[in-house]
Amino acid sequence: MNFSTRAIHVGQEPDQETGAVNVPVYLTSTYAQESVGVVKFADYGRGDNPTRAALEAVTASLEEAQFAVAYSSGLAATDSMLRTLSPGDRVTLSSDAYGGTYRMLTKIFGPWGIETDVVDLSDIDAVESSWHDGTKLVWAETPSNPWLRIADIAALAGVAHRHGAQLVIDNTFATPYLQTPLTLGADVVMHSTTKYLGGHSDAIGGMLVTNDAQLAARLKFFQYAVGAIPGPLDCYLIMRGIRTLAVRMDRHQANAAQVAHMLAQHEKIERVWYPGLETHPNHKVALDQMRGFGGMVSVEVAGGAAGAKAFVEKTKVFTLAESLGGVESLIELPAQMTHMSTSGSLLEIPENLVRLSVGIEDADDLLEDLRQALS
Ligand code: PLP
């Protein structure tokens, strides 16, 4: 089956008893046992829930994977993956990554004995030359947040595997519609399902996806033993979003391309970062490994911090807010909002960088809104 057919049908067959075409929201914390220890589906809701199982099945299918494990947030998924490491291990992280990932690695796992090396992962030579004994995981976002840099997944997997390490790709920005990292050699895909997969800014969730059965069993155990599980209603909402992922992404990226081209010509914009522009330093890699360039655009605004602040506070259709990937357009200042925790670090973001999550409204209204906000 092709992508959208799988998005709408995998794990979502009509309910056998009632014929309901939607997966029911199984609001249950426990399950009746036929006799002691004999269960129909599961013994307790933290371990398993049928709505969650359906969401995991469809996500695994879209990522061309055998296993998916759902969490209560993207960061809970990240936390679960990092728990597979041991004190003394090292992680190589993109020099451009979601601030919360960096915060978790340095503030939570640092004191626990995990070292983090920050490297520009779009530069394969730099990854190789800065390799340390003890590095067990390469953690890459591609496209990255907020610079939209593109890392060559196959090349990164090659370096990681040669050194006996694993490659995790945060696929939140691309989604499986535009990029399937496991088919390019990555070991694990991580998602903040809060974003494009959910697509309506109404639920928080995370996911880890892999073809490694041993790793999947460990992650499933962590999900059960640690308990950072998504509730059944959130699973339903994210699954409903996934059903329209393809049509939404087509519109997101068509609008984003128009926004990127318009802003690239604007006198108040110093630079546009969009992987679909030929001026983007990693445009060629994006063309090779992605099926489209996505809905995120970042820009450096003239006039420094004040120019950027004035811009984000004047838009009317774009809402000033953190997060991304919903149907509505959002605008934000990473240095003071999503990436504040990177202040003073190698990941620090300049104050004039503005990140746009281009929604699926009418493109003309979006362009007009940005023009008036820059005027
Ligand atoms: N990864 C990326 C690329 C993100 O943008 C975010 C959140 O903004 C996360 C991970 C964390 O996900 P969540 O907010 O669902 O915990």
Side-chain angles (χ1 to χ4, degrees):
M1 283 194 288
N2 291 309
F3 188 89
S4 284
T5 313
R6 281 183 281 139
I8 292 167
H9 293 286
V10 173
Q12 302 161 82
E13 296 77 22
D15 183 54
Q16 283 195 348
E17 287 197 4
T18 63
V21 294
N22 284 311
V23 174
V25 181
Y26 283 93
L27 289 168
T28 189
S29 60
T30 192
Y31 304 88
Q33 305 200 3
E34 287 170 355
S35 59
V36 177
V38 179
V39 300
K40 279 191 176 145
F41 172 77
D43 54 5
Y44 188 54
R46 181 165 14 82
D48 274 300
N49 177 281
T51 320
R52 195 204 313 165
L55 169 66
E56 291 172 337
V58 66
T59 312
S61 169
L62 296 185
E63 288 287 0
E64 317 254 354
Q66 291 182 60
F67 311 103
V69 186
Y71 297 90
S72 53
S73 69
L75 281 181
T78 301
D79 172 73
S80 189
M81 186 61 210
L82 295 176
R83 283 174 194 270
T84 63
L85 300 172
S86 305
D89 289 347
R90 303 181 82 102
V91 176
T92 299
L93 175 70
S94 320
S95 54
D96 173 20
Y98 171 58
T101 307
Y102 176 74
R103 181 178 55 212
M104 184 185 296
L105 273 162
T106 52
K107 297 245 160 71
I108 310 279
F109 285 91
W112 196 57
I114 307 289
E115 287 284 327
T116 299
D117 302 299
V118 173
V119 180
D120 176 0
L121 297 185
S122 65
D123 180 351
I124 286 295
D125 295 338
V127 180
E128 187 65 78
S129 61
S130 62
W131 197 269
H132 287 87
D133 288 343
T135 302
K136 293 284 165 51
L137 220 57
V138 177
W139 192 285
E141 283 178 19
T142 180
S144 64
N145 183 1
W147 291 103
L148 305 165
R149 289 201 180 93
I150 307 293
D152 182 333
I153 296 172
L156 268 185
V159 177
H161 294 163
R162 206 162 43 252
H163 291 281
Q166 287 189 310
L167 174 64
V168 182
I169 297 291
D170 181 334
N171 207 23
T172 299
F173 275 30
T175 83
Y177 182 59
L178 300 182
Q179 168 178 285
T180 29
L182 299 183
T183 65
L184 299 168
D187 301 282
V188 179
V189 162
M190 175 264 160
H191 276 286
S192 167
T193 55
T194 314
K195 309 298 185 325
Y196 287 107
L197 294 189
H200 296 76
S201 307
D202 53 8
I204 302 269
M207 192 77 70
L208 292 173
V209 187
T210 184
N211 278 316
D212 178 337
Q214 253 184 327
L215 176 65
R218 253 186 116 188
L219 295 172
K220 181 78 195 148
F221 173 71
F222 290 169
Q223 182 197 42
Y224 168 73
V226 177
I229 49 156
L233 183 57
D234 284 349
C235 291
Y236 177 83
L237 289 171
I238 291 162
M239 193 160 43
R240 186 171 67 172
I242 285 174
R243 297 181 127 198
T244 57
L245 181 63
V247 287
R248 283 187 291 106
M249 288 312 288
D250 283 341
R251 175 71 168 241
H252 277 297
Q253 53 184 352
N255 283 356
Q258 288 203 52
V259 164
H261 282 104
M262 187 277 281
L263 292 176
Q265 306 298 325
H266 201 287
E267 60 190 20
K268 298 257 180 76
I269 298 296
E270 290 175 349
R271 182 150 190 192
V272 176
W273 293 85
Y274 183 64
L277 292 181
E278 281 176 16
T279 51
H280 187 285
N282 315 123
H283 176 63
K284 170 87 181 52
V285 186
L287 262 181
D288 286 349
Q289 80 182 8
M290 299 179 75
R291 294 179 280 272
F293 304 110
M296 300 298 295
V297 178
S298 291
V299 294
E300 291 171 73
V301 182
K309 189 162 180 286
F311 178 35
V312 302
E313 289 182 346
K314 264 182 83 180
T315 54
K316 293 179 181 139
V317 181
F318 279 80
T319 301
L320 175 61
E322 299 196 2
S323 202
L324 59 114
V327 291
E328 67 291 308
S329 292
L330 303 179
I331 191 165
E332 67 122 1
L333 270 185
Q336 290 184 42
M337 296 169 68
T338 49
H339 289 65
M340 204 155 69
S341 59
T342 64
S343 170
S345 78
L346 285 171
L347 282 76
E348 190 173 75
I349 310 296
E351 293 208 312
N352 71 332
L353 190 84
V354 167
R355 192 188 75 182
L356 301 120
S357 172
V358 181
I360 65 170
E361 301 94 336
D362 291 295
D364 287 348
D365 293 329
L366 299 181
L367 297 176
E368 182 47 35
D369 189 39
L370 296 173
R371 282 195 200 100
Q372 68 76 25
L374 284 167
S375 69

